[in-house]
Each structure stands twice: as structure tokens, then as C-alpha cells.
């Protein structure tokens, strides 16, 4: 490896520890980004992006889809994981081998112990202006398996809070190719995404985020 590679902040770099069990791998998925985006296109041809309704009756600004044994769904009755897409009543598309392999390599690079493969992959699509308000992810059975998140396309300001909604939060930019993992004690932190800004210099019109989870 050359010194130049390390000098470039946008290239893959050392794991950045955000919490006891939360690690950011900048650029870890950069060399796979085009293939991952092609996978997203193939998956969402069969399980289209849609704006889920929250239990509060509001339509989410983020459009979502899923692949894997289970998909994350929301409606007026609440949030849950479901084995069929409520839009088509069909099983969710299979998780591409490339995604499972990426999750495995990211867990190893971040120093996590071996754990189960993900069975639920949520795909979020943010058009400029879309946001995700502060929330916790607590519908998964085993918090011991870290969640692996991959950011693609437009970058976004990510909010990283504490275990209570009112706790102060840090902000950081998540960019194309960044991979973020979190498990265990960091699993119940509140987090969110500020409204995504337009960027004429970016060849993508959206931000995509894949979160690979062990839900069952
Ligand atoms: C969870 N997605 O899908 S992922 C979600 O960028 C979600 O689309 C966001 O939150 C997105 O549920 C963020 C990354 C993330 C980072 C840190 C966390 C999720 C986290 C810390 C604790 C719990
Ligand atoms: Fe979340």
C-alpha cells in the first residue's frame, strides 16, 4: 500500500470507533458501489420502493424496500418484520451473495466476533429533502448480532444520539461507500438522518442506505 492511498480521506481507511460496539469503515464498499446499486435496481423491480405509513398515520419521506427472508414493514398497526411483501404478497427477493459477503467482511474488518448472517435487508431511498427522524431499532430478536449499514449515492448528515430521545447527539457525514456497524451496547441509541441535500456534482439523484440485520 502507498502513502498516497492513506493521504486520501475518501479512500478506505482505518476503522473509526464511534462507540464501544459501533464502528465506521469509511469507503469500505466503494469498489462494490456500482454492483450494489445494480442489485438494488434488480431487487426493487420485483419489490418496488414505497412510502410506508407510520403507526401515527404519516407517510415516510424515505422510500423503502427489502430483501431476504424478512422485510421491514410499517402501517397503522405498527412496525414489524414480514416474510411477504404486503404490496405484492410475494416473498421478498433473495439477498444477493455479494451483500452477505460484504457484511461478513465488514464485521471482520471492524473486529466483531463471528455471528449469524443477516436475514433481513432494509433498503432506504432518500430523494433530496427526505429525512429519517430520530428513532431506535428494537424490533430484532438478538441485539448481539451487529447491524451492517452501507451508504450509497448522495451523502447525508447522520444523527447519533444516546439511549434516550432527549440525549444530546453527534452529527457526521455518511458518504458513498461508507459502512457503519453497530451492535450490543450501542444498539438502542437513537439515530436519524437530516434532510438530504441536492448535489449537482454527484452522479446519483438519491441517497441509498442498506441495513443488513438479523431479525428472527
Ligand atoms: C442504529 N437507517 O433503516 S443506518 C434504519 O442511513 C436507519 O438510512 C439510517 O436508521 C439510514 O433504521 C441509518 C446507520 C445506523 C447508524 C447508527 C446506529 C443505525 C443505527 C446506532 C444505533 C442504532
Ligand atoms: Fe434505524
Amino acid at each position: 500500500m502507498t502513502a498516497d492511498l492513506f493521504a486520501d480521506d475518501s479512500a478506505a481507511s482505518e476503522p473509526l470507533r464511534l462507540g464501544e460496539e459501533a464502528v465506521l469503515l469509511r469507503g469500505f464498499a466503494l469498489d462494490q458501489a456500482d454492483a450494489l446499486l445494480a442489485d438494488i435496481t434488480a431487487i426493487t423491480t420485483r419489490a418496488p420502493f414505497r412510502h410506508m405509513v407510520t403507526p401515527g398515520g404519516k407517510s415516510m419521506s424515505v422510500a423503502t424496500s427489502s430483501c431476504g427472508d424478512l422485510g421491514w414493514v410499517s402501517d397503522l398497526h405498527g412496525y414489524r418484520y414480514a416474510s411477504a411483501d404486503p404490496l405484492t404478497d410475494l416473498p421478498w427477493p433473495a439477498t444477493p451473495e455479494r451483500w452477505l459477503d460484504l457484511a461478513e467482511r465488514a464485521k471482520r474488518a471492524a473486529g466483531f466476533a463471528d455471528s449469524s448472517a443477516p436475514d433481513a435487508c432494509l433498503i432506504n431511498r432518500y430523494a433530496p429533502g427526505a429525512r429519517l427522524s430520530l428513532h431506535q431499532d428494537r424490533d430484532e430478536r438478538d441485539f448481539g448480532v451487529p447491524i451492517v449499514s452501507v451508504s450509497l449515492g448522495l451523502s447525508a448528515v447522520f444523527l447519533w444520539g444516546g439511549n434516550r430521545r432527549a440525549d444530546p447527539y453527534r452529527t457526521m457525514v455518511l458518504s458513498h461507500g461508507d459502512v457503519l456497524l453497530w451492535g450490543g451496547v450501542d444498539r438502542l441509541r437513537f439515530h436519524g438522518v437530516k434532510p438530504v441535500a441536492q448535489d449537482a456534482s454527484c452522479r446519483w439523484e438519491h441517497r441509498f442506505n442498506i441495513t443488513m440485520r438479523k431479525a428472527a
Side-chain angles (χ1 to χ4, degrees):
M1 203 158 299
T2 65
D4 292 74
L5 207 49
F6 288 113
D8 183 352
D9 233 17
S10 68
S13 58
E14 291 297 300
L16 190 64
R17 185 161 296 279
L18 304 176
E20 235 176 286
E21 296 187 66
V23 177
L24 175 58
L25 302 173
R26 288 250 184 241
F28 191 79
L30 212 46
D31 60 347
Q32 309 234 68
D34 285 347
L36 293 166
L37 283 157
D39 292 336
I40 290 174
T41 300
I43 290 163
T44 56
T45 301
R46 291 167 54 200
F49 280 116
R50 81 291 309 264
H51 295 272
M52 298 269 192
V53 173
T54 65
K58 289 185 189 149
S59 170
M60 292 174 66
S61 59
V62 176
T64 59
S65 183
S66 287
C67 62
D69 291 342
L70 294 166
W72 183 86
V73 299
S74 175
D75 57 24
L76 291 174
H77 304 292
Y79 311 121
R80 65 197 170 276
Y81 284 98
S83 55
D85 178 351
L87 213 58
T88 62
D89 278 333
L90 294 170
W92 300 98
T95 305
E97 208 54 50
R98 169 184 6 262
W99 294 22
L100 299 172
D101 178 63
L102 174 63
E104 199 54 49
R105 287 187 294 111
K107 283 189 217 176
R108 212 172 310 130
F112 285 96
D114 283 347
S115 57
S116 311
D119 57 10
C121 301
L122 172 61
I123 308 167
N124 292 333
R125 185 187 68 187
Y126 298 75
R131 60 193 285 275
L132 195 58
S133 52
L134 273 184
H135 69 279
Q136 294 172 298
D137 291 298
R138 52 189 318 159
D139 298 328
E140 301 77 25
R141 189 164 295 162
D142 181 2
F143 290 174
V145 183
I147 294 183
V148 180
S149 130
V150 185
S151 291
L152 298 164
L154 294 172
S155 52
V157 176
F158 173 70
L159 310 177
W160 166 257
N163 287 346
R164 288 165 307 185
R165 184 176 291 279
D167 286 344
Y169 56 78
R170 296 164 60 186
T171 61
M172 70 195 91
V173 175
L174 291 182
S175 304
H176 186 61
D178 288 352
V179 175
L180 183 53
L181 301 94
W182 70 102
V185 295
D186 290 311
R187 262 307 297 265
L188 289 179
R189 286 179 183 271
F190 278 87
H191 58 281
V193 178
K194 286 203 186 187
V196 168
Q198 212 142 15
D199 178 2
S201 73
C202 180
R203 66 183 164 117
W204 306 106
E205 290 174 5
H206 294 95
R207 169 174 190 263
F208 296 91
N209 183 267
I210 302 168
T211 43
M212 296 186 265
R213 308 144 182 251
K214 176 83 175 99

